[in-house]
Amino acid sequence: MRAIATVSISGDLSDKLEAIARAGFEGVEIFENDLLSWGGTPEEVRELAQSLGLKIIALQPFRDFEAMPEPQRTRNLERAERKFELMKALGTDFLLVCSNTSNHAVDDPERAAADLREMAERAQAHGLRIGFEALAWGRHISDYRDAWDIVQRADHPALGLVLDSFHTLALDLPTDPIAAIPGERIFLVQLADAPVMDMDVLSWSRHHRCFPGQGRFSMASFMQALADTGYNGPLSHEIFNDSFRAAPPRETALDGMRSLILMENMAEHSPFFQSLPSPPVCDGVHFMEFTLDEESAAPLSHWLAAMGFCRIGRHRSKNIDLWQQGDMHVVLNFETDSFAHTYRLIHGISVCAMGFRVNDPELVMARASAFQARSYSGPIGAGELKIPALRGIEGSLIYLVDPETARDRQWRTDFELSAHDEQPDAGLARIDHISQVMPSTQLLSWQLFYKTIFDFEAGSEHELADPRGLVLSQAMTSRDGTIRLPLNASQATETLPGRFQAEHKGGVQQIALATEDIFATVDQLIANGLPLLDIPANYYDDLAARMDMDPELLQAMQDRNILYDRNEDGEFFQAYTPLFADRFYFEILERRGNYQQFGAVNAPIRLAAQSRQVSQSGSRR
Amino acid sequence: MRAIATVSISGDLSDKLEAIARAGFEGVEIFENDLLSWGGTPEEVRELAQSLGLKIIALQPFRDFEAMPEPQRTRNLERAERKFELMKALGTDFLLVCSNTSNHAVDDPERAAADLREMAERAQAHGLRIGFEALAWGRHISDYRDAWDIVQRADHPALGLVLDSFHTLALDLPTDPIAAIPGERIFLVQLADAPVMDMDVLSWSRHHRCFPGQGRFSMASFMQALADTGYNGPLSHEIFNDSFRAAPPRETALDGMRSLILMENMAEHSPFFQSLPSPPVCDGVHFMEFTLDEESAAPLSHWLAAMGFCRIGRHRSKNIDLWQQGDMHVVLNFETDSFAHTYRLIHGISVCAMGFRVNDPELVMARASAFQARSYSGPIGAGELKIPALRGIEGSLIYLVDPETARDRQWRTDFELSAHDEQPDAGLARIDHISQVMPSTQLLSWQLFYKTIFDFEAGSEHELADPRGLVLSQAMTSRDGTIRLPLNASQATETLPGRFQAEHKGGVQQIALATEDIFATVDQLIANGLPLLDIPANYYDDLAARMDMDPELLQAMQDRNILYDRNEDGEFFQAYTPLFADRFYFEILERRGNYQQFGAVNAPIRLAAQSRQVSQSGSRR
């Protein structure tokens, strides 16, 4: 059963239940605070859940119970009796008891077991069950193995174990011993992931948990050990996350469902295993589509031509141009009655679609559908090609094209192709990466979208210093490295991505194009009249001090405003255009050796230069 | 000399220097990244600083220098030579060298000393000096005592020690040994404070530093030990803080100046001691002033009357009413050509001023002036009383009245007082606390404002769960507890304070009034027709389960929508009005025993109830 705890979602209890049901969950844990602050009665919660098709699988948490001295012990049992009455009103038969964090608690497993046995006995008298969970910061019991020891000592049929991946993996406990626990003695499994952080486990847990797949915990080892137990009860998310508390409930619930489907797919021998269409083998970004008005057509066409692109075709039935260079295609969409136009109304002139080359587009569509992604089909003319497409989180499209169609048929079918111009290209061969901007509360949603549907991997997180605040950046990359999508978000509203988010509602802000010879390419671009972002001389002075650089190479870089990075894998050269119409910009780059990063060390230099450009153009608010 | 490092302030290098100069600093440390990303030359930085009257006291940091194996050692010395040239262009004679964090560094104090001696010798040849600082996460040198040991071993006149309060206090190092260091061997002192956090010291340092006085470090012990050394060089803030990076540069620089003035005042025997007018002895909130339009006059007057306030006067020359109950006065300002009107144009109907009773208003004004707070004087009629006033951070006023004037003369002079109505009061005797809302990037500014001028103490931080995100709350309280000002901020834009900030640009959102008998008072308010915020029955069921409560008392609370808290000091009862015009609300409370808190445990219940009210009134966006 797919379940989630109400604390994971924002809103009041009815907002939460509605969002949870709509995302397709079957079960819900009622986090007690959500009930206490709700205006309705427990009976009304039961009715609402029923009407939404949700089973209330647990009331939680019941705190600071076991191994207390008197009179707290007696008080605690009275408190339990009251909660049993509440559970009956709610229509749930299960109460989660988490290990005691009180300083008054006694370090005595026998006492803890006796108390839990007594509570279980009382629960059973009401037809109820309880489960015991080790909190990672429990006073005496913080390891699930100790909790399991106590459950065994208590030896009562109405008492079982609750496992939580966060409490297990945050303490770096081994997961192998889970496999030896009989599945029927596990009454509930809670799932949560988290980024790796070196901080106290309570704050980490209360603020930084995330859905499995969004963090860095070894969820696979947890899920595989769990599969060995034969456990077939609910898998339930329990996420405490500051951003989730502030995000729209339906978006969070959808992410939770995606995460759970991914987790179910992690161990083939588990009772809850669900087979999924395989993720695609990717073969690079095939094209980008810009949505433009007539006014921006000339300046962008000028830029494209200056970058060595050539206009090679015109759509047979639509107001759409096709440009090409090397392996790359650029589509300029001027339609006024289309998806592109709708997107333009919200986001302004922008990149409204990307095309990915994948081995089997229909299989990706099937996988995307399993993860509840939205597909898109636009109107097509007679004889034109139908290209499968998904909607990204902010509404732009991802077209999926197999390499063979991509090579030739796609363009020939839909476009009137013209003879190539004589103008030489600039040596730009492929789209290296495309950076997208989103609200910082949504970065994890985008990450999970690309991870679940495309099996992209999350790179390391970078905090980039913009002159007006920090920018968080994390790249999602296809397994073979042919598609790279850095995600950028900033809580600060005056940074480059912060302003882009506020003014243009996010989307693609950067398009990075790769060359095999950045010096020749940049010379060509300059000769063609393409403006490049000015890099301060101070940067090159420092580069000379920091690194052992050939002075001639350094001078060649400085002459061309080329930035540089180097690591043990290789070298990296990058140059930037200014912002086009205060919206998006292009990067020109060359990778040497096996350098796989994005030059994060240079980002503050680039962000400051862009900030100067924006100041000068007078468009800063 | 008062100084600050450029990294502490947002913007590009010229924004930073201008803000720093405008706040009255005399010196500035150039954080090298700010220079690298700047478009101008080092010579232009020197000229800009000169024109602003700023001395560049340091270039910083020079990293990973000492105790490296070859060939890095030689490379490092070459790197130093390049930076010496840069320093000359910048016009600074001092370079900050921080302890090596590289894994390649050798654990050999003699080697470290020899390398620093070599570097100092080379610096001296250029007429320059260097200072060595222990980073708290240095590979082999993380304690200022070890750095001092190495400086002594190197024994070179161009090499001195750099002390940083963060690196000292974050590791909880004793400050007493500082006192034994000769002041002339300390070349620079950097100041930073921080909240107490249980996380890795590098992340703590890079993201959570704050100005001294805004955090929890024992800055007094650091400053006193420093005074013992006789050090008389620059005191320089070096703050890495995510919010400061995003905040307006001038506001941050002003906070930095306030903080530095506070620090200079910490040790009477220090060379940099500056005497300040004493902070006030407070005697409670004397009055609140609402700015209103004619439309809101009747409904708010109705509420005030229902709360037991009585209209007792009319201003002699202005469209202002005076209300009273017990020790409290409420001023309703309907002027259309006044400060109150200007404030209303920005913030809507609101609390535009508070009056504090203080022993010596003019002394507070002098202290406020020393801390660069803005004073306010409005037009007054002939024979009317001039009451000193300060501007708060968002622009509202704080009037200062001595108890004697407050008792009688103030109102009698300016107002035509009428005979009291017959209506009995409701037992509300004093203003217990007033809560203000601000952007989360500004919470520390407000805290420092009240701390420096009024010597208010910061209470513990609470994270309150609103249904739509977390709210950070921290109270500033006068030493005697008679004035309490909780500060509330939320990064989430849909929480109650988040919406208030977005829609009304912050200010007072809550006014809490104290009674000695909350049951009698609430009965009276209900009888008078005052609406109260509905508290769910689930809350009381849980209260009964959690606490040993007299069932009759519990029932009496539930009947009256009274919330409850208890701690080792005493008991707390509280009830709320709904939001008035979707803006502010009143709390009615009773403290029993020595309870000094604000019932944070009940805040989620209150926030959810307010959220329901806003939903029902249809004003949620």
Side-chain angles (χ1 to χ4, degrees), chain B residues 133-211:
Chain B
E133 174 188 54
L135 288 184
W137 53 93
R139 181 82 179 84
H140 301 296
I141 296 152
S142 57
D143 184 322
Y144 73 90
R145 290 168 295 186
D146 296 331
W148 171 229
D149 172 60
I150 284 168
V151 167
Q152 287 175 290
R153 287 178 198 242
D155 189 26
H156 193 285
L159 172 68
L161 182 67
V162 175
L163 287 177
D164 181 307
S165 62
F166 180 89
H167 295 301
T168 306
L169 299 171
L171 295 186
D172 218 8
L173 303 179
T175 51
D176 287 351
I178 291 174
I181 302 171
E184 68 278 7
R185 300 300 299 144
I186 304 171
F187 281 9
L188 178 63
V189 173
Q190 294 182 317
L191 298 180
D193 198 347
V196 171
M197 302 179 89
D198 184 1
M199 68 191 304
D200 73 288
V201 67
L202 176 58
S203 304
W204 192 15
S205 173
R206 289 281 167 82
H207 298 286
H208 302 286
R209 288 185 181 211
C210 55
F211 288 125

Side-chain angles (χ1 to χ4, degrees), chain A residues 506-542:
Chain A
V508 170
Q509 191 174 25
Q510 188 206 45
I511 305 115
L513 311 176
T515 169
E516 299 295 309
D517 181 350
I518 193 162
F519 295 94
T521 294
V522 166
D523 283 344
Q524 185 66 51
L525 304 191
I526 293 169
N528 293 347
L530 187 75
L532 289 180
L533 195 66
D534 265 337
I535 303 303
N538 302 327
Y539 169 79
Y540 296 98
D541 289 348
D542 180 61

Side-chain angles (χ1 to χ4, degrees), chain A residues 118-174:
Chain A
E118 167 79 19
M119 188 176 176
E121 183 67 23
R122 292 183 181 215
Q124 195 177 36
H126 293 276
L128 307 174
R129 299 172 311 134
I130 62 174
F132 186 54
E133 174 189 55
L135 288 184
W137 54 92
R139 180 80 180 85
H140 300 296
I141 296 152
S142 56
D143 184 324
Y144 74 90
R145 291 169 294 187
D146 296 332
W148 171 228
D149 171 60
I150 285 168
V151 168
Q152 286 175 292
R153 287 177 197 240
D155 189 27
H156 194 285
L159 172 68
L161 183 67
V162 175
L163 287 175
D164 180 306
S165 63
F166 180 89
H167 294 301
T168 306
L169 299 169
L171 295 186
D172 218 9
L173 303 179

